[in-house]
């Protein structure tokens, strides 16, 4: 889909798709289809079977994110619009302003990751991207996107001492 960005990770029989922008439908091993919105994730294999009575109490995957992350979906939609308009510096500024909000660690990590992606890929600012990716790894050690960040640091030739 145009405008849809996501990350898929698979390792040792388990995996996860994290939707960064847009909408996505994922088919589970049981054949069920889950609709994801920006900021949501789908993981597999499914958790051990839960009795039907307990299943009905679980929050559906398409439900709104927790209140602590209120506004994240709107922020990502706003940033996606800025990207479409080619206003990458404005998107970075908007994300940086939002990064201070009291969101969950997962949401703060996503906002930081988006900043780094814009600096690296859209703005092509190697020095700023290197500095941001190093800070991102300090803030989120062994984060869910750490492999991607490590590849970016290597691809950009970011020195460990911070010279680039």
């Amino acid at each position: 889909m145009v405008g849809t960005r996501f990350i898929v990770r698979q390792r040792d029989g388990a995996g996860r798709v994290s939707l960064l922008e847009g909408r996505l439908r994922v088919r589970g091993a049981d054949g069920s289809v889950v609709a994801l919105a920006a900021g949501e994730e789908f993981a597999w294999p499914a958790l051990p079977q839960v009795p039907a009575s307990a299943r009905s109490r679980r929050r559906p995957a398409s439900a709104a994110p927790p209140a602590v992350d209120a506004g994240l979906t709107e922020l990502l939609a706003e940033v996606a619009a800025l990207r479409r308009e080619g206003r990458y510096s404005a998107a970075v500024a908007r994300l940086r302003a939002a990064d201070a909000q009291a969101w969950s660690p997962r949401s703060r990590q996503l906002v930081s990751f988006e900043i780094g992606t814009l600096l690296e890929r859209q703005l092509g600012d190697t020095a700023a991207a290197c500095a941001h990716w190093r800070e991102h790894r300090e803030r989120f050690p062994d984060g869910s996107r750490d492999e991607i960040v490590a590849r970016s640091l290597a691809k950009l030739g970011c020195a460990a001492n911070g010279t680039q």
Side-chain angles (χ1 to χ4, degrees):
M1 297 176 96
V2 175
T4 297
R5 294 181 51 225
F6 56 93
I7 299 170
V8 178
R9 280 183 279 312
Q10 174 93 24
R11 184 182 305 170
D12 300 328
R16 172 174 67 221
V17 61
S18 304
L19 184 59
L20 305 174
E21 290 179 14
R23 297 190 182 279
L24 188 67
R25 291 183 350 163
V26 180
R27 185 173 307 277
D30 63 356
S32 63
V33 175
V34 177
L36 297 178
E40 295 181 330
E41 294 184 332
F42 177 79
W44 62 88
L47 297 173
Q49 291 298 318
V50 178
S53 61
R55 233 181 278 140
S56 63
R57 290 185 298 239
R58 291 172 56 192
R59 186 179 78 135
S62 61
V68 71
D69 292 340
L72 180 63
T73 301
E74 292 81 5
L75 171 68
L76 294 175
E78 183 181 340
V79 169
L82 291 169
R83 274 188 162 121
R84 283 189 299 276
E85 296 169 6
R87 298 177 56 207
Y88 305 123
S89 295
V92 169
R94 181 65 184 97
L95 286 165
R96 283 187 171 145
D99 194 26
Q101 292 190 10
W103 285 335
S104 70
R106 179 178 105 27
S107 294
R108 286 194 317 272
Q109 185 179 162
L110 174 62
V111 168
S112 178
F113 182 81
E114 287 299 303
I115 292 169
T117 300
L118 281 158
L119 291 170
E120 176 186 348
R121 298 178 188 164
Q122 277 78 38
L123 292 172
D125 188 339
T126 302
C130 286
H132 181 80
W133 285 137
R134 282 191 294 269
E135 179 187 331
H136 179 91
R137 289 189 97 188
E138 287 178 20
R139 287 177 67 194
F140 309 104
D142 300 318
S144 63
R145 295 166 180 86
D146 195 55
E147 292 174 19
I148 298 167
V149 173
R151 282 195 304 267
S152 289
L153 285 165
K155 181 179 85 176
L156 293 170
C158 303
N161 63 6
T163 58
Q164 172 123 21

